[in-house]
Each structure stands twice: as structure tokens, then as C-alpha cells.
Amino acid sequence: MTLPHKASPAPASEPDRAVNPIRPDLTGDLVCDPASVFDAEAVLAQVQAAATDAADNAALRAAVVSILREVQKSGRAAIADAFAAHPFAARPMTRAYTYLTDGLVKTAMYVASGLLHPLANPTQGERIAVMAVGGYGRGEMAPHSDVDLLFLTPYKITAWAESVIESMLYMLWDLRLKVGHSSRTVADCVRLGREDFTIRTAMLEHRFLTGHRPLAQSLDKKLKSDLFKDTEREFIEAKLEERDARHRKQGQRYMVEPNVKEGKGGLRDLQSLYWISKYVYGVKDTAELVPLGLFTPTEYQTFVQAEDFLWAVRAHLHIVTGRATEQLTFDLQVEVAERMGYEDRAGRRGVEVFMQRYFREATRVGELTRIFLTKLEAQHMKSAPILERIFRRRPKTKPEYKVVHGRLDVVDPKAFLSDKLNLLRLFEEGLRTGMLIHPDAMRLVTANLALIDDDMRNDKEAQRLFLDLLLKHGNPERALRRMNELGVLSAFIPEFEPIVAMMQFNMYHSYTVDEHIIQTIVNLAQIEKGELVEALPLASSILKAGVNRKVLYTALLLHDIAKGRPEDHSILGAKIARKVAPRLGLNKADCDTVEWLVRYHLLMSDMAQKRDISDPRTVRDFAKAVQTVKRLDLLTVLTVCDIRGVGPNTWNNWKATLLRALHAETKRALETGMEDLNREGRGNEAKKALREALADWPREDLKTETGRHYDPYWQGLNLSTHIEFAEMLRALEESGDPGAVEIRLVPDLDRDATRACFAMADHPGIFSRMAGALALVGANVVDARSYTTKDGYVTDAFWIQDAEGHPYEAARLPRLSQMILKTLKGEVVAREALKSRDKIKKREKAFNVPTHVTFDNDGSEIYTIIEVDTRDRPGLLYDLARAMAAANVYIANAVIATYGEQVVDTFYVKDMFGLKYYSETKQRALEKKLREAISEGAKRAAS
């Protein structure tokens, strides 16, 4: 790469002992004064004094370790302090850590070979060359990088060499260095390098440190002649296979907790470029790739910038954690951003600005890798099997394009640029032919983005071309992703530029904003192609029946375009959509629909997940907002794609069930009139269904069951739950025990949850006790319904999931029931037991989630809706329910919507007299109690 101590040709003689034998080579500026890192003269003087005073070898070794430990401590502190003051000085920092490590290794060798095990007249076989290999060989040392050493001997290792190596390693281990070591002959190195590409790569980066220099020289010659020569193709293929496997393991470039070293667009990708270029072209510095024609000067500068930034991030990670940490987790992102000087800006935290820079650099690494590998492919292309070459049909391209190694390139760059619309036509041709675009064509586009001006943006043909990329070829994400990476998307839609590589600092979103938008479009294209009929029957049927595709794709493209601003992104996004949609060639009516969809793109999700959709008022309010079935259908599909585009595990049957129910009820209301939405009508239907299901029950028992419940019970639960509670209440009455508790846990696979039903005699605070019992067993409550009967019972239904967001396995349910029963009977006190379990994980502590409490008296006919938006934790629902019970608040039901570390708990409540909370004084008093409960719980969880 570009940071190494380069292995330079050495004179074929032993080092001059008059020169300080432990002084490291200085290959460039360090982040601080070299003497403050490792003062070779002072260290040598201390070591020699220790050698004079030491009674024996053990005492000498202990004294040397003590000296080096102090040198190591002061050197590391000097580097860390200087790096904190200059947080982007990556190259001087890596050189400094290498300089310090070189000094420690050279001193250990000097002491081991010259003082502990001296040889007056060494034989030819008693020679050792100490070599740095791997990252250490490149001279790229992060604060806690491994120290990989090769002890090179001419023949089989002698007893003297074994003693020297052992003494040296013990000293280095005592310094707590992570030493990776091997002892080999030159022949061993060549043989093992042939068998193992990891060893071969390490050998590629050997660097002589100390000992017998001619031996190191002979290794250099042998590797070039016997190992590297004529094996370029197999090495390239091995490195590319390694890279692909690494990317599969680490995930996509835009995953929000990236691995700086191994992740896509990370340091290992840049190192792979260096390894291949060194192996194939013999370069010692990536700057040499420019005259070779593999990089332009601008691309080389991009390489240097990306490498500098990634190395700086990696070093700060090591310093913050005190170990070799490579994963940029949420908690570490905050600390690294602060160390690198990123500050909060309007509407955005400093950590989000920092991560946007990170993802943009990672994208550039991907572009450089593509350019480099395609150039290599031209020279070292893996030949296709003969049958494939005979039978494969070459795609027919338009005259202005050509196919180079299976990729689409431009015949005449000058003619191509004479019509600026060709900057879009290139992507259309790529989709039409199914071919990837050649990096030379990509370079041409990137270098001429200035051609995309207002004239082109307002050109009708340009608008047609862009919409065709979305609508015509069935693979819009490929064109969009490539256009985004090359800057074409934000040049054609300048309003898109601020969200490119923008990270949202939370646990809910798995992707950057631009990648999330592309993921939503991926989902829409899959639904259109009929690939998700089983998973998404409603969305699939809506698209099959026909919707305005132009509106839907445009709305998805623009729905989050205003993220990262201080204003509400839905409101601001609608304003932006009003300007952008006409520029994409949409007519007035379509522009209005796009604007509406962007403005209300969260409405259906919020209604389904934060409100009780069995309440007629919820459906009525939603229907009034949507107004037409056409809009309802569009919003439904957009909502499904939006949720699925958040991350790979965000969508589940629970959300699907809620959205399907809300769509069905709203469609019915819009088609048959709002009067269909009344409690009495629904209640009569539910009672009739129960009578039919329990046809074998005595008539008196059925009459008792259908008469004991209030109206909300009949509309809030489905038939299977009504049957469950009927049987449970019957069992309670037959038991004759006033303290009896009936618990039934049943997997509800339609909702991806376990349904927990409780029936018992009613008494104050029962809802909070049940919430506490469920919190104690680690259950995550996603929905809850609480109903009292006219004859003094309580019937509560909770839908719960395990820690992974799935229904509980059947085998775990009996033990779960026992634990819950113990808590309900008071054998376990939830408040005390939760103290050790209600904790926030370390990586989640970095998130700021402000608490908001709102009261809504319009969203339900008979209840006040209290919405609590705050940080999620295991005991939160219990704390809130306990605070309400203490304030004599009756909780009818609770709807829980979780968004990563954030949760919105919505409670449908009445006061002790069965009235709504209209009084502002009462609202403020209750809000104060809820905030106190949240605050106390948060302190407990953070302790």
C-alpha cells in the first residue's frame, strides 16, 4: 500500500556494530518526535548498564523487560497524545507505532543474540535474520496490531538459534505484544508459500529488521524466482475469492455497524489492491500504479484519501477500546467521531456526519477496486470454458457501444459526450443488454458530471429516459445503485445529494438513507415480478389489479429525501417532491399524489403499529385522511416496501397482520360508508360467531358468556381468543377458588408471537403485575388488551415474543407459565427481581432518545390515548403500568411499537370514574409521574 517501510536492497554484509544496533529505520515523518517514541541511544545505554550489573541471564532479561516496558509505555503515550491532537494524521501515526515496535524487536534481538547467548565465531548454520511480515512487514501498525515475525535460518534450526528465538519471544511476550511467529529456512518459505496463499501473501510483504542481512536477501531472490514468477493469475484469483468470501461474511457496504478492516469498502479491500499490484507489477508504492495506467492521478489521490481516513478511524478504535477492535459499533462511533472532531450540526449529530464520511469513503474504495480489477482482467483474464465460449450469445449492443471482456463500454468517448443525454442512455443500455458497465465508461461519466445541468434536467427526453430506468426494464435497483455510486443520481436530482451515504444513528435502520431508498425499490420490483406473492399477498394483489406505477416508484424514490434536516422530513419531503416530480415528467395529478404519499408515508405504519385498529375511530380517522381506495392501495404498497427496506429482519407477520387488517377495514369503510364502523354491529357479529363455535355448550352458559363482556371486548379480540377466554372463565367458576389464576400460552403464528391469556378475579394494578411477570421472563410485549367483565373478572391478552423477535418454542411454554404464575401470586416481587435484569447494553448507551408524552382525546370515542415515546428497555412497560396503577388509571389496552432502541407505548385509558382525561392539570400530573417512572427505571438500567 502507501504506508510501508519499503524493503530496500541491502548491502551483502553484517550491519556495522559501530552504528547503534537497535535504532529503527526512519522512513518518513512520525506523528511526534522520534526520540519521544523510541530513543535508541538512551535505551542502548540502559541495556548495556543492566548487562554490567546483572548477576545472571534471568536478572538481565528481567531488567531489559523492565527498561523496554517503560520505553513502550512512554512511546505509546507520546504517539496517542500527538494523534489526539492531529486525529487525521494516519500515515505518521502508523509509522510511529512501527518505529516503536521495530525498536523493541531490535533490542530484544540484540540482547538475546549478543548478551544472553553470545557466539564468538558463529558457523555458517548459526545465522538468523529477523523479518517483519504481513501488516507489520508493510510498516502499517495500528495501536494494537499483531507483531508478525519470521525467524529465517539457513538450514535446520540449531540449538543456539532456538535459544535466541526463545529468549527473544519471552521478552516480547512479557511486553504484552501479540507476537505471531514462525521459524523457517528459505526453502521452507518457498514450499509453504506454494501450498498456502495466506503464507504467500505474508511473504510478499517481508521486511528485514535485524540479524544476518545476506540471508534476507537470498529469501527475496528465491521468492521472486521460485514462488511469485508466472503465478500471477492464480494469486489474483485466490485474492478475489478471499475478498468475495469476506464480503459475504461481513455483509453490505452500507451496514450501519461496519468492520473497518474486513468490511466491504474497508482497509482489507485496499490492501488486496496493494498485494495484487505488488505481486503482478512489483510496485513498492501504489503511486507507481499511475504511470502503469491502472489509476489516473485523481484516482490515486482518492485512494490515498480513503486509506488515510480508514487508518485514522481504525487507530482511534484501538485507542478507545485498548485492544484490536475493528467493528465500528454504535457506542464506539460516538467516541471516534468526538476524537476526530466531528460536531453536531443543524438537525444532525456529529456521529451521523462522521459516518456519512465513512460510507462515502467506503463507496470510493469500491469504485477504485472495480477500476483496478477490470484493468487487471484485461491483462490476466481467466479464460472461459470452451463450450461456454462457443454457445454463449453475445448481447447485441447499439452501434455507439462495444463489449470489452463482457462489459459495456463506449466506442468513441468524444462522440458520446457530444450528446449529454448519453450519460443516461448508458445505464439504459446496461439494463437492456443485462451487462455491467465497463470501468472506463464509468470513469468517463464521473469525469463529466458537469454536463448534467438544468437544461438536461428539464429535457423531456432526459425525463423519459430516467423514468424508463425505473419502470421499463424490471431491474431498476441496478441502474439506481450504479448511478448513485457514480454521482449521476444526485447530479440529475440535486436534492438527493445530501442523503447519499447518510447514516441515521439508531438501531432501527440497517442501511444508509440512500441505500434504504434503493432497498424499497428492490422490494417493489420483486412484488411486481410476482416473487413475493406468498409473503406479501395483499401488496401483490394490489399491484396485480393495477396501480399508477410511475407515481409509486417516484414516491418511493423521494419519500426520505428530506432526512437529516431539523424540520419534519415528511413535511419538508413533500415540499421537495412538489418541485422534483414535475422535473421527472409527471403530470399535475400524479405530482399531487406523489406529494401526498411523501407527506403521509408514515401514516399507515403509525396507525397500524401505534393505535388500536379494532377501535372504529382509528379506522374512521384513517379513512378520512386517505379519502380514496386508490390512495389507500398506493399507500399500502409504499408502506410495505418502506418497512421491508429498513433492514433484513424488520418485516414480520405481526406487522403484515396489522396492515392487512387496517387496509381491509378502511377499504370497507370507503366503499360502503363510515356507518359500517360501529361497535354494536361488530359486537353482534362476534357474539354470533362465538355461539356457533361453542354450539355444544349449554344455552345458559352461552348466555352468561355473551352477556358478561362490555362492547370493546367483542371488537378488540378475534374468535379464537374469545373461545379461549370463555373456557378460562368457565374453569375459574368451576374451581370455586376466588384466588385462582388461569394462564394459557398459545403460539399465534399468524402474528409471529405467542398469545398469553390471563383470567382471574379483578383487583387494582393487575395489568402492571402481569407486565412485570412478562418482563421477568424476558418476554417482549408487542400488544396487550385488558378487559374487565360485568361480574368482576379481568381478561387480559398479551402478545409476546422472545429476545429474537419470534414466538416462544412450545417446549419453553410450561416453564414460562410457572414463572409467570409465581410472580402473579407474589412469590417473586417483580420490582426487586427486575433490578438485575433491566439493563441497557453497552453498545446501546450511545443513543439519545428523548421522552415525549402526548394525550389524545379525539382518537377514540371512549378512551384517552396516552402515547409514550422513549428509550426501550426490558422493564419499561412494567414501570409505566405501575405508575398508572398508582395514579388509579384504568388501562384498557396497550399497543407497543418498537423501532430499534426507541419504543412507542400507546395506552387506551380512563380515570377511576370511567372518564377521559380532559383536564390539562390531570394530564400534566400524570405526565410527571410517567416521566419520573421512566427516569428512575433508566437510572436502574444504566447502573
Side-chain angles (χ1 to χ4, degrees):
M1 289 174 75
T2 52
L3 307 184
H5 292 264
K6 302 167 192 73
S8 52
S13 61
E14 287 282 31
D16 182 356
R17 289 288 168 182
V19 176
N20 189 325
I22 66 170
R23 184 187 296 121
D25 295 332
L26 197 59
T27 60
D29 292 339
L30 306 189
V31 75
C32 52
D33 177 22
S36 69
V37 177
F38 187 87
D39 188 339
E41 279 63 37
V43 174
L44 185 61
Q46 289 180 65
V47 168
Q48 288 173 339
T52 305
D53 298 341
D56 55 25
N57 278 2
L60 173 58
R61 201 181 84 188
V64 169
V65 168
S66 179
I67 292 164
L68 292 184
R69 194 172 282 139
E70 283 304 310
V71 169
Q72 182 188 33
K73 186 179 173 184
S74 62
R76 291 180 73 83
I79 299 168
D81 289 346
F83 188 49
H86 303 281
F88 287 88
R91 292 161 201 278
M93 174 273 303
T94 58
R95 285 191 207 107
Y97 281 112
T98 303
Y99 188 81
L100 174 60
T101 309
D102 283 1
L104 298 174
V105 172
K106 283 188 163 195
T107 305
M109 176 63 173
Y110 168 73
V111 172
S113 63
L115 301 178
L116 295 177
H117 309 286
L119 271 182
N121 296 300
T123 64
Q124 195 61 35
E126 290 172 320
R127 308 277 190 190
I128 299 177
V130 183
M131 314 284 290
V133 293
Y136 179 36
R138 276 195 311 277
E140 288 183 352
M141 292 290 283
H144 294 281
S145 289
D146 293 354
V147 179
D148 291 325
L149 297 174
L150 167 64
F151 297 103
L152 197 62
T153 55
Y155 315 114
K156 190 168 184 263
I157 196 163
T158 64
W160 170 81
E162 208 165 80
S163 299
V164 168
I165 294 167
E166 187 178 281
S167 294
M168 194 174 163
L169 287 172
Y170 275 120
M171 282 186 273
L172 296 175
W173 287 332
D174 286 345
L175 294 174
R176 300 285 188 270
L177 291 175
K178 287 186 291 180
V179 182
H181 64 96
S182 56
S183 305
R184 295 178 186 141
T185 64
V186 172
D188 288 339
C189 290
V190 173
R191 177 177 54 80
L192 292 167
R194 282 200 187 105
E195 297 168 3
D196 188 320
F197 279 104
T198 305
I199 293 173
R200 193 184 305 191
T201 306
M203 290 291 101
L204 181 64
E205 300 186 299
H206 65 275
R207 175 170 61 90
F208 175 72
L209 286 174
T210 185
H212 191 60
R213 200 181 284 268
L215 194 52
Q217 274 199 314
S218 68
L219 174 67
D220 198 42
K221 287 174 186 168
K222 278 288 185 185
L223 289 175
K224 284 174 182 169
S225 63
D226 294 7
L227 182 60
F228 300 157
K229 193 179 177 188
D230 299 328
T231 57
E232 291 86 355
R233 182 184 290 179
E234 67 178 53
F235 183 79
I236 292 168
E237 287 175 9
K239 287 291 121 189
L240 296 187
E241 280 172 23
E242 249 176 53
R243 186 189 69 136
D244 291 344
R246 192 173 67 247
H247 288 177
R248 280 194 297 275
K249 183 181 176 185
Q250 290 295 329
Q252 301 186 36
R253 183 181 301 130
Y254 302 105
M255 296 301 278
V256 288
E257 289 185 293
N259 187 306
V260 179
K261 183 180 177 185
E262 303 286 350
K264 198 170 185 180
L267 278 167
R268 187 66 86 204
D269 281 357
L270 290 177
Q271 288 163 354
S272 296
L273 295 191
Y274 176 66
W275 290 331
I276 293 170
S277 56
K278 185 167 186 179
Y279 199 99
V280 175
Y281 302 106
V283 304
K284 292 175 182 166
D285 192 310
T286 40
E288 295 172 43
L289 296 176
V290 176
L292 286 169
L294 289 153
F295 281 157
T296 65
T298 305
E299 288 160 353
Y300 171 65
Q301 284 308 313
T302 302
F303 183 103
V304 171
Q305 179 184 305
E307 184 184 51
D308 270 0
F309 179 79
L310 292 172
W311 264 107
V313 171
R314 186 182 181 211
H316 287 297
L317 265 178
H318 282 209
I319 291 169
V320 165
T321 59
R323 54 193 171 86
T325 304
E326 313 299 352
Q327 192 88 24
L328 200 48
T329 53
F330 291 125
D331 53 325
L332 295 176
Q333 288 172 16
V334 176
E335 291 193 60
V336 172
E338 285 173 1
R339 286 181 62 90
M340 295 181 76
Y342 286 90
E343 296 177 349
D344 294 356
R345 298 178 188 173
R348 298 184 68 198
R349 291 181 65 181
V351 64
E352 292 177 319
V353 179
F354 160 63
M355 290 305 295
Q356 185 168 29
R357 167 83 191 272
Y358 178 89
F359 289 118
R360 288 191 174 192
E361 296 297 350
T363 301
R364 291 183 185 114
V365 171
E367 289 168 16
L368 291 171
T369 306
R370 251 193 324 268
I371 289 163
F372 179 79
L373 294 179
T374 309
K375 286 287 184 185
L376 269 181
E377 190 180 49
Q379 298 169 27
H380 302 272
M381 194 177 174
K382 186 177 179 180
S383 51
I386 187 75
L387 285 174
E388 190 182 330
R389 277 181 279 163
I390 293 168
F391 293 110
R392 187 176 60 191
R393 288 180 59 196
R394 289 175 64 83
K396 193 171 181 184
T397 60
K398 291 179 180 176
E400 55 268 35
Y401 300 103
K402 62 182 178 181
V403 180
V404 179
H405 297 310
R407 287 181 172 84
L408 192 67
D409 201 357
V410 172
V411 172
D412 182 347
K414 194 173 178 184
F416 179 83
L417 295 174
S418 66
D419 182 353
K420 58 180 79 171
L421 295 191
N422 284 331
L423 295 174
L424 290 177
R425 290 191 184 108
L426 173 66
F427 297 98
E428 185 181 48
E429 186 69 359
L431 288 186
R432 191 187 68 78
T433 58
M435 279 191 291
L436 296 172
I437 297 169
H438 194 281
D440 284 350
M442 290 187 204
R443 276 170 157 169
L444 188 65
V445 169
T446 308
N448 292 281
L449 290 175
L451 291 174
I452 302 176
D453 54 13
D454 283 340
D455 287 344
M456 178 172 164
R457 293 182 197 107
N458 291 305
D459 185 291
K460 288 202 181 308
E461 178 61 11
Q463 294 165 357
R464 183 198 65 76
L465 283 165
F466 185 81
L467 284 176
D468 279 358
L469 291 172
L470 286 179
L471 303 169
K472 193 174 175 183
H473 302 281
N475 196 10
E477 74 275 10
R478 208 175 85 191
L480 283 176
R481 188 170 281 119
R482 190 65 71 239
M483 288 167 77
N484 188 33
E485 288 174 355
L486 297 180
V488 175
L489 190 53
S490 49
F492 193 68
I493 305 174
E495 294 84 355
F496 200 86
E497 201 281 332
I499 61 168
V500 173
M502 178 188 282
M503 178 203 176
Q504 300 166 82
F505 191 66
N506 58 52
M507 287 170 58
Y508 182 57
H509 291 91
S510 297
Y511 306 110
T512 53
V513 181
D514 55 336
E515 180 61 18
H516 160 67
I517 285 173
I518 291 170
Q519 289 291 337
T520 66
I521 288 171
V522 168
N523 274 281
L524 180 53
Q526 288 177 321
I527 299 169
E528 277 203 300
K529 286 185 271 192
E531 294 173 7
L532 299 174
V533 173
E534 200 172 312
L536 305 174
L538 175 59
S540 298
S541 67
I542 289 171
L543 287 183
K544 193 174 180 184
V547 295
N548 189 324
R549 299 175 64 240
K550 194 187 295 185
V551 163
L552 200 46
Y553 273 100
T554 306
L556 277 176
L557 184 66
L558 302 178
H559 78 280
D560 274 348
I561 202 162
K563 276 282 176 82
R565 320 275 184 98
E567 305 94 326
D568 183 315
H569 82 280
S570 298
I571 296 170
L572 185 59
K575 290 177 183 174
I576 292 171
R578 194 185 305 158
K579 288 194 297 181
V580 174
R583 283 210 317 264
L584 297 180
L586 274 68
N587 63 36
K588 175 74 170 64
D590 288 351
C591 287
D592 289 346
T593 308
V594 167
E595 183 184 340
W596 185 88
L597 285 169
V598 173
R599 171 66 184 87
Y600 294 106
H601 73 270
L602 295 175
L603 178 65
M604 189 171 193
S605 174
D606 285 348
M607 281 289 193
Q609 294 184 74
K610 299 181 189 176
R611 289 290 181 268
D612 177 8
I613 57 175
S614 66
D615 189 324
R617 180 67 69 87
T618 301
V619 178
R620 192 175 295 135
D621 289 349
F622 181 60
K624 281 178 182 174
V626 174
Q627 295 183 343
T628 67
V629 173
K630 180 179 137 187
R631 274 187 176 177
L632 172 66
D633 286 347
L634 287 167
L635 185 58
T636 301
V637 177
L638 184 141
T639 302
V640 169
C641 294
D642 192 15
I643 295 173
R644 286 176 66 90
V646 165
N649 303 310
T650 312
W651 181 259
N652 55 32
N653 281 348
W654 178 255
K655 288 170 186 167
T657 302
L658 292 174
L659 289 174
R660 278 200 295 270
L662 182 56
H663 179 275
E665 290 292 331
T666 309
K667 186 176 182 183
R668 181 174 152 194
L670 289 169
E671 288 178 342
T672 63
M674 301 288 183
E675 58 275 3
D676 263 18
L677 299 172
N678 66 76
R679 290 177 184 276
E680 197 179 331
R682 286 188 183 185
N684 291 336
E685 287 174 18
K687 288 174 188 175
K688 184 183 175 186
L690 183 65
R691 288 190 197 98
E692 289 172 3
L694 300 178
D696 57 336
W697 274 36
R699 195 171 170 185
E700 264 316 298
D701 288 3
L702 268 177
K703 189 176 177 183
T704 301
E705 178 58 27
T706 54
R708 69 177 7 143
H709 300 285
Y710 295 101
D711 284 347
Y713 173 87
W714 296 108
Q715 72 190 43
L717 300 171
N718 62 14
L719 176 61
S720 65
T721 316
H722 286 152
I723 295 169
E724 197 88 67
F725 276 130
E727 291 171 350
M728 292 166 77
L729 289 169
R730 195 186 198 187
L732 280 177
E733 290 188 324
E734 287 173 356
S735 74
D737 178 2
V741 178
E742 279 287 315
I743 301 174
R744 294 199 185 178
L745 304 181
V746 182
D748 189 342
L749 299 180
D750 284 345
R751 299 189 177 195
D752 267 347
T754 297
R755 186 179 68 212
C757 290
F758 303 91
M760 66 196 85
D762 189 20
H763 54 84
I766 193 66
F767 185 91
S768 69
R769 283 178 63 183
M770 281 188 274
L774 292 169
L776 270 182
V777 297
N780 180 32
V781 179
V782 291
D783 200 1
R785 296 278 185 276
S786 181
Y787 305 102
T788 53
T789 67
K790 296 170 186 175
D791 52 351
Y793 291 106
V794 63
T795 51
D796 283 4
F798 289 77
W799 280 265
I800 58 175
Q801 294 176 332
D802 63 17
E804 303 302 314
H806 302 302
Y808 280 89
E809 293 172 8
R812 293 178 64 186
L813 296 182
R815 187 169 174 274
L816 214 59
S817 294
Q818 287 173 356
M819 283 290 294
I820 293 168
L821 194 58
K822 278 185 179 180
T823 311
L824 290 176
K825 286 187 172 181
E827 294 172 28
V828 178
V829 180
R831 191 176 181 186
E832 293 303 313
L834 267 174
K835 283 181 180 176
S836 61
R837 305 190 193 192
D838 187 12
K839 298 295 177 188
I840 295 172
K841 294 174 185 171
K842 182 175 180 286
R843 68 186 273 269
E844 296 172 17
K845 288 183 179 179
F847 299 109
N848 296 333
V849 183
T851 296
H852 299 287
V853 180
T854 59
F855 290 77
D856 175 8
N857 281 307
D858 299 322
S860 174
E861 290 173 8
I862 56 177
Y863 301 111
T864 292
I865 302 172
I866 302 176
E867 191 175 285
V868 182
D869 185 340
T870 190
R871 174 194 277 281
D872 194 18
R873 55 184 171 77
L876 176 68
L877 182 62
Y878 168 64
D879 287 344
L880 293 173
R882 196 163 52 84
M884 288 192 200
N888 295 312
V889 178
Y890 165 64
I891 301 172
N893 52 53
V895 181
I896 292 91
T898 307
Y899 306 91
E901 77 285 355
Q902 177 190 8
V903 68
V904 180
D905 285 356
T906 306
F907 300 93
Y908 283 67
V909 305
K910 293 177 182 178
D911 67 12
M912 61 193 296
F913 304 109
L915 302 173
K916 287 187 178 186
Y917 279 82
Y918 283 114
S919 160
E920 198 169 316
T921 308
K922 281 187 176 180
Q923 288 182 9
R924 296 292 76 81
L926 182 53
E927 180 180 343
K928 186 183 175 195
K929 287 175 181 172
L930 292 173
R931 285 184 179 275
E932 283 171 359
I934 291 167
S935 179
E936 285 170 19
K939 282 178 193 167
R940 180 182 70 223
S943 62

